[in-house]
Amino acid sequence: MSLNNYEQTVMTLKDHEDAQLEIVTMGDMTSDKAVVLIHGAVMNYKIMTVFAKYIHHVRLIFINCPGRGESSELARASHSLVDYATRINEALVSIVNETKLQELAIIGYSMGGLIATKLAGYNTLPIKQLVYLNSAAKIDIKELRISKLLMELVKDMKSDNQDGMIKSIPELVLDQGISKKHENNTNFTDYFAPVDAMVTDLLYTLGSDYLADIDEIADMPDVLFLLGEDDVIFPNKDSKETLEKFESLGASVKSVIYPEVGHLDFLRVLDKTHDGALQSIESNINDWLHI
């Protein structure tokens, strides 16, 4: 996929008191299908641009959630994660109408999967596929293991290029992310939200439960779960509950669980098979999206 079609815009949301939302698009602008990529908590859209190298022949839409980049902040005390979803929904409805898109696929990483669940439940977008990447429709605050997550982060900050595999998240993102293509200098901190937005993300995300929203979906999308066995933020039992909910409503569902992969280090299997057995995340996504 060529990055020449990279375009950054700031949308004004009339239904949200003229709040702004930053949107980045690239890919095949002639396609009537788009893949929307929604980042996780404490991050910004740039973390999701690692997928630009692997998803071809469709339009790609990246969104900066409120409080980062050119996206307006929220008054934290009077809003919730639902307000992230309604803002993104308004922007996507506008894009679909303007560009005559016929199909959307949504890839939601971590917090992005919670938002994607809400979007599907609004029934205002032609969502045909939904990918939960280390995510689910709920997050159980009692199950969080923050100390393990911090250990995982420290582990993955170390460089390890054995066998050509980049195991460090900062290395991989800086090597493949969009900033390297459009800026002279790169810094991994550019991929994180401002501290105030980080706090807002965490307060809004922890304990969120959108399982009931799945009941509201009129046309069930095909749902793919790409999970890490060692995920300490979205344990597999939460993902399993979401999976079973979709199955009970007749959705086509598939789950791939990568052993020894945690919440932050999914990039280790982004374009590499796991022990030569499980397909890479790249392959699973492209197969699921039929592209």
Side-chain angles (χ1 to χ4, degrees):
M1 186 206 71
S2 171
L3 297 177
N4 293 333
N5 292 324
Y6 174 91
E7 182 179 358
Q8 186 175 22
T9 59
V10 179
M11 297 189 66
T12 299
L13 306 176
K14 298 299 183 183
D15 293 341
H16 291 82
E17 300 179 342
D18 290 339
Q20 294 184 324
L21 197 69
E22 184 177 12
I23 310 288
V24 169
T25 57
M26 63 183 80
D28 184 355
M29 296 297 110
T30 66
S31 176
D32 63 0
K33 180 171 183 175
V35 178
V36 179
L37 300 102
I38 306 176
H39 62 78
V42 314
M43 297 179 177
N44 61 41
Y45 84 92
K46 293 179 182 178
I47 188 71
M48 301 303 286
T49 62
V50 297
F51 288 95
K53 179 178 179 180
Y54 305 111
I55 302 176
H56 306 272
H57 311 304
V58 294
R59 189 185 305 253
L60 298 181
I61 301 173
F62 302 88
I63 299 173
N64 246 349
C65 288
R68 63 216 81 203
E70 299 298 321
S71 294
S72 301
E73 297 180 2
L74 295 174
R76 183 185 299 150
S78 56
H79 293 84
S80 70
L81 193 63
V82 173
D83 296 276
Y84 285 29
T86 57
R87 292 182 182 209
I88 291 172
N89 188 69
E90 181 181 344
L92 289 177
V93 168
S94 177
I95 292 171
V96 167
N97 291 337
E98 180 181 344
T99 60
K100 308 303 182 187
L101 289 170
Q102 299 300 306
E103 294 185 18
L104 289 183
I106 300 183
I107 300 174
Y109 169 52
S110 190
M111 178 183 78
L114 294 168
I115 295 171
T117 307
K118 297 293 292 185
L119 296 176
Y122 294 151
N123 297 307
T124 56
L125 297 166
I127 300 171
K128 302 302 182 184
Q129 293 101 8
L130 180 56
V131 178
Y132 286 97
L133 177 59
N134 282 21
S135 188
K138 59 175 287 188
I139 181 169
D140 189 345
I141 192 171
K142 299 188 298 297
E143 296 293 326
L144 294 182
R145 299 292 184 268
I146 298 300
S147 60
K148 289 185 178 180
L149 181 68
L150 293 175
M151 290 177 63
E152 182 184 322
L153 178 60
V154 171
K155 175 191 69 176
D156 288 329
M157 291 291 282
K158 298 176 182 178
S159 176
D160 184 354
N161 289 309
Q162 295 179 1
D163 301 323
M165 181 183 294
I166 300 174
K167 295 186 178 180
S168 158
I169 290 178
E171 279 187 306
L172 193 145
V173 172
L174 290 178
D175 180 62
Q176 297 183 4
I178 195 66
S179 285
K180 185 165 186 177
K181 307 295 190 299
H182 291 272
E183 299 175 6
N184 293 326
N185 300 311
T186 55
N187 187 327
F188 188 63
T189 59
D190 292 340
Y191 293 81
F192 287 96
V195 172
D196 191 61
M198 290 184 183
V199 174
T200 302
D201 288 352
L202 294 174
L203 289 175
Y204 287 176
T205 300
L206 298 179
S208 292
D209 185 346
Y210 299 140
L211 274 175
D213 289 74
I214 299 174
D215 287 313
E216 303 300 319
I217 301 174
D219 296 312
M220 281 293 160
D222 296 334
V223 187
L224 172 64
F225 291 84
L226 298 173
L227 311 169
E229 185 179 53
D230 296 338
D231 194 336
V232 295
I233 299 299
F234 284 89
N236 293 159
K237 75 173 189 62
D238 286 351
S239 302
K240 185 173 185 290
E241 191 173 356
T242 304
L243 183 150
E244 291 174 346
K245 181 75 168 181
F246 274 108
E247 283 185 329
S248 71
L249 294 171
S252 175
V253 181
K254 178 181 178 181
S255 177
V256 180
I257 300 177
Y258 293 95
E260 300 179 351
V261 170
H263 191 74
L264 294 171
D265 57 357
F266 71 90
L267 293 169
R268 292 195 292 110
V269 288
L270 176 61
D271 58 0
K272 300 287 192 301
T273 59
H274 190 284
D275 293 334
L278 294 178
Q279 286 191 111
S280 67
I281 286 174
E282 170 204 355
S283 295
N284 276 302
I285 287 178
N286 278 292
D287 286 351
W288 198 250
L289 303 186
H290 311 296
I291 54 178

